[in-house]
Amino acid sequence: KKGHKLRSTLPPLTPAKTPRQLESFCGNKQSTMPKKPKSQRRKKGKSLGDIGENEGIEIFGGGGGGGEVDILSEDHTVADESSFNSFYEEFGDNGNSDNDTGAEEEDVSDPQSRAEIAASNRHTRLLEALSLASTIPTEKRTVKREQYLRRLFKAISQFAAGQSGQEAVLSRVDDAIVPACKTGLRGGSASPAEQYAACRVLEVTSVILGGDHDDYVEAVDRPLRIVVKSTGRAPQVRGAALRALSMIHFICDANEAGTNSVLDLCEEVCAPQYRGEDVCPTLRAIALDCWALLSTTVDDAYIAGDELGSETGENGRGVVILPLLSQCLNESNVELRCAAGECVALIHESRLNLGIDDDEGENASERRFRRGSWDGSEWEVLMDEVKQRVAELSVESGRHMSKKAKKEQRATFRDFMATIVDDEPPVEVVNFRGGTLNLKSWREIVQINFVRHCLQGGFQIQLMTNETLHMVFNIDAAIINDAEGASLSQLEKRLIMSKTSDVAKAADRDLTRRRRNRTNAKNYFITADGEDI
């Protein structure tokens, strides 16, 4: 009995270990189960399903409720995959699904009626997105706020077309768009993805509003500057804020003082260090792109002039940052290299334009090399080094870069070398639905690339309907309207533009035939008779 009582008071024995557990415990056999990374481990008191909802883990990075992830991916974008193809789906179509058949079926065959129906559908979607934007300041969930901002960006860039779209956006700027974006720019409660989306909405809104909107500039200038100067925020967010600030001053601001202040900010951010901290190469590249955009709005002497060619006797902004651009060309980041090369090409083009004067009697080449050359100036040696570096990057090869990156870098720097080394103007053709845009200067190329990055999926429709872009790029609206009236139906698009169309099949058969002939020619020495050899 005593022993029985004693056994009852003892703690329960642990179950016996299995042979495999004994081997692992004794060290005779190592465990083969891999260890999970920290991002996939379950924290104490939380289930696996709560990690993705509460910890802010998303595909795009930093888009959750907790806001713990402060880093966005380098290819993060505010547009979804369907936005890039939405122009052909929503602009030229009648906007009806396959099941919507009825009284409107007779009018769909008319191109004019199709355009009217598509415009009505776009306007309806724009109004819905603007109404949702008014609820963003009161929404507590950052995921929902980000979704509303993404939807607002798509609506403004793709559905705010023509005069009606501009009026709808202008009527809701003060009470819906600006308050929603200011809510998204808050660093404490807003996630990096939400901040990025808010910056992109402000940027695309400036393109729709057009020029002479100083009230809009004053409302968003200070919040965007705060985001750019905040070194603790994600580099992609700071870059998006700087892009938005530059586009707003490029389109809406008519004051030169504001443009000069943004140029000063770009020159500070593109330096290797800003406020005692190293600057991300991606952010430095964005700062150089913004500097190039705003430099297209000032005179050539203000960019590339010096004490010999400038009326004020001061060095131009571009001449001053030439040493910094030369250092950027030697960096390992490809985006930073390309941005620096584009700035050098723009500065060199402005320098060459200083030598062209209609009042002088000599030919164009003599006038160009009289004042527009770097020969004899204090920057001659530096420009020779830059030209040599640009020529090297145009033919660079090695295993430290991928094949795609090397191909893009060579093609880009070949265009830069044509201007910087050979003094040849660039030529770029932009085809859009309704016409062709021929660009023959780096000023126009810088502007079109910046606008294309801003609008993304809405670039085509805005290039056709936006009056501000027509003024910037000298586009004739009458020719575009004629092409818009002759838009294709859904069936015609499938027969002509689809990959399964007769044209695509004929091109595929021709490619197969030429590939077979080329292979037979290479193997001719194997199959040929002795007499032919």
Side-chain angles (χ1 to χ4, degrees):
K1 292 182 179 179
K2 291 182 179 180
H4 178 71
K5 292 181 180 179
L6 184 61
R7 284 194 300 269
S8 62
T9 57
L10 291 176
L13 297 176
T14 58
K17 296 182 179 292
T18 61
R20 180 174 298 179
Q21 291 176 343
L22 289 174
E23 291 177 358
S24 176
F25 179 78
C26 297
N28 297 332
K29 183 178 180 180
Q30 296 181 355
S31 178
T32 58
M33 181 177 294
K35 194 174 183 180
K36 292 183 178 181
K38 292 184 178 180
S39 60
Q40 298 180 3
R41 297 178 191 174
R42 180 175 62 88
K43 294 185 178 181
K44 293 182 179 180
K46 294 185 179 181
S47 61
L48 291 176
D50 298 335
I51 296 177
E53 298 177 359
N54 301 328
E55 297 302 321
I57 299 175
E58 273 196 354
I59 297 177
F60 297 102
E68 296 183 1
V69 182
D70 295 335
I71 299 177
L72 296 177
S73 60
E74 294 183 357
D75 56 349
H76 179 77
T77 178
V78 72
D80 52 4
E81 295 179 358
S82 60
S83 299
F84 296 97
N85 299 325
S86 60
F87 169 75
Y88 294 102
E89 297 175 359
E90 298 171 357
F91 179 70
D93 300 343
N94 53 15
N96 298 329
S97 60
D98 296 337
N99 298 327
D100 295 338
T101 57
E104 298 179 354
E105 186 174 358
E106 297 179 358
D107 298 336
V108 171
S109 59
D110 186 10
Q112 185 176 0
S113 62
R114 289 202 309 269
E116 294 176 356
I117 294 173
S120 177
N121 293 335
R122 291 197 305 271
H123 191 71
T124 302
R125 296 186 182 185
L126 175 62
L127 296 179
E128 293 176 356
L130 291 174
S131 62
L132 285 177
S134 61
T135 63
I136 292 179
T138 59
E139 178 62 46
K140 296 182 179 180
R141 293 171 294 181
T142 182
V143 177
K144 284 293 183 182
R145 295 198 300 264
E146 182 193 350
Q147 291 177 358
Y148 292 163
L149 288 173
R150 285 173 175 266
R151 185 172 179 178
L152 181 61
F153 173 83
K154 181 178 180 179
I156 295 177
S157 61
Q158 301 179 19
F159 304 148
Q163 188 67 24
S164 60
Q166 183 182 11
E167 294 176 355
V169 173
L170 183 60
S171 62
R172 302 301 303 273
V173 167
D174 297 330
D175 60 341
I177 298 178
V178 174
C181 294
K182 285 185 177 181
T183 303
L185 292 178
R186 294 180 301 182
S189 59
S191 64
E194 182 185 352
Q195 300 172 29
Y196 181 87
C199 295
R200 296 303 306 275
V201 171
L202 292 177
E203 181 183 3
V204 74
T205 302
S206 63
V207 180
I208 305 301
L209 294 179
D212 298 334
H213 285 86
D214 296 335
D215 297 338
Y216 179 70
V217 178
E218 295 177 359
V220 300
D221 182 84
R222 185 173 180 273
L224 290 175
R225 289 179 183 270
I226 293 176
V227 175
V228 175
K229 295 179 180 179
S230 300
T231 57
R233 304 205 185 193
Q236 288 78 8
V237 175
R238 298 174 61 192
L242 187 57
R243 278 185 171 274
L245 188 64
S246 302
M247 180 63 78
I248 290 170
H249 282 274
F250 174 72
I251 296 291
C252 303
D253 191 13
N255 188 9
E256 295 182 359
T259 302
N260 294 332
S261 63
V262 180
L263 281 171
D264 295 336
L265 181 61
C266 293
E267 293 174 359
E268 294 175 1
V269 176
C270 69
Q273 288 188 345
Y274 179 71
R275 291 190 169 184
E277 296 185 6
D278 295 336
V279 184
C280 177
T282 304
L283 180 58
R284 297 180 63 188
I286 294 175
L288 290 178
D289 291 338
C290 297
W291 185 91
L293 174 70
L294 296 177
S295 297
T296 60
T297 62
V298 297
D299 297 334
D300 294 326
Y302 190 74
I303 298 298
D306 52 15
E307 64 274 10
L308 297 178
S310 177
E311 297 178 356
T312 60
E314 299 179 357
N315 294 330
R317 282 185 173 270
V319 177
V320 173
I321 66 170
L322 274 179
L324 176 63
L325 297 177
S326 178
Q327 296 176 3
C328 294
L329 291 174
N330 295 321
E331 296 288 340
S332 59
N333 188 272
V334 179
E335 296 181 1
L336 184 58
R337 288 179 179 179
C338 295
E342 189 176 50
C343 291
V344 173
L346 180 63
I347 296 170
H348 186 73
E349 182 184 59
S350 300
R351 182 79 175 191
L352 294 179
N353 293 335
L354 292 176
I356 300 178
D357 191 356
D358 296 335
D359 297 336
E360 299 179 6
E362 290 81 1
N363 54 31
S365 60
E366 293 181 359
R367 293 197 307 268
R368 170 168 296 189
F369 287 99
R370 173 177 295 181
R371 291 173 52 206
S373 176
W374 300 98
D375 298 340
S377 65
E378 59 178 322
W379 312 101
E380 180 181 1
V381 178
L382 180 60
M383 281 303 300
D384 291 340
E385 296 177 357
V386 170
K387 292 179 181 179
Q388 182 178 1
R389 180 57 180 166
V390 170
E392 293 175 356
L393 292 175
S394 63
V395 294
E396 186 178 15
S397 179
R399 296 180 178 270
H400 63 283
M401 296 175 59
S402 63
K403 183 181 294 184
K404 181 179 179 181
K406 285 188 292 186
K407 183 178 180 180
E408 294 177 354
Q409 177 177 297
R410 290 173 184 174
T412 302
F413 276 90
R414 278 197 297 267
D415 297 337
F416 297 157
M417 186 180 65
T419 300
I420 299 173
V421 179
D422 301 332
D423 297 339
E424 296 180 0
V427 177
E428 183 173 342
V429 180
V430 179
N431 296 319
F432 62 97
R433 191 174 183 179
T436 302
L437 188 61
N438 296 320
L439 307 177
K440 299 181 180 179
S441 66
W442 283 109
R443 287 176 176 262
E444 298 176 342
I445 294 176
V446 168
Q447 293 172 359
I448 199 70
N449 290 336
F450 209 94
V451 172
R452 183 189 286 113
H453 181 277
C454 171
L455 298 174
Q456 290 191 348
F459 174 71
Q460 289 276 347
I461 186 172
Q462 293 298 333
L463 201 60
M464 292 178 57
T465 60
N466 194 298
E467 296 181 357
T468 303
L469 298 183
H470 294 172
M471 296 174 59
V472 173
F473 301 110
N474 297 324
I475 300 176
D476 190 359
I479 300 176
I480 297 177
N481 294 331
D482 295 341
E484 180 181 349
S487 59
L488 302 176
S489 63
Q490 289 184 353
L491 180 60
E492 292 172 342
K493 290 177 183 178
R494 294 192 191 101
L495 296 177
I496 298 176
M497 301 180 181
S498 176
K499 295 182 179 179
T500 59
S501 62
D502 295 339
V503 178
K505 291 180 180 179
D508 184 70
R509 287 194 297 267
D510 181 67
L511 181 62
T512 303
R513 180 182 57 81
R514 288 190 284 110
R515 186 184 295 114
R516 183 174 59 252
N517 294 338
R518 185 169 60 252
T519 304
N520 293 339
K522 292 180 180 179
N523 300 334
Y524 178 75
F525 70 95
I526 299 177
T527 59
D529 298 333
E531 297 178 356
D532 297 338
I533 296 178

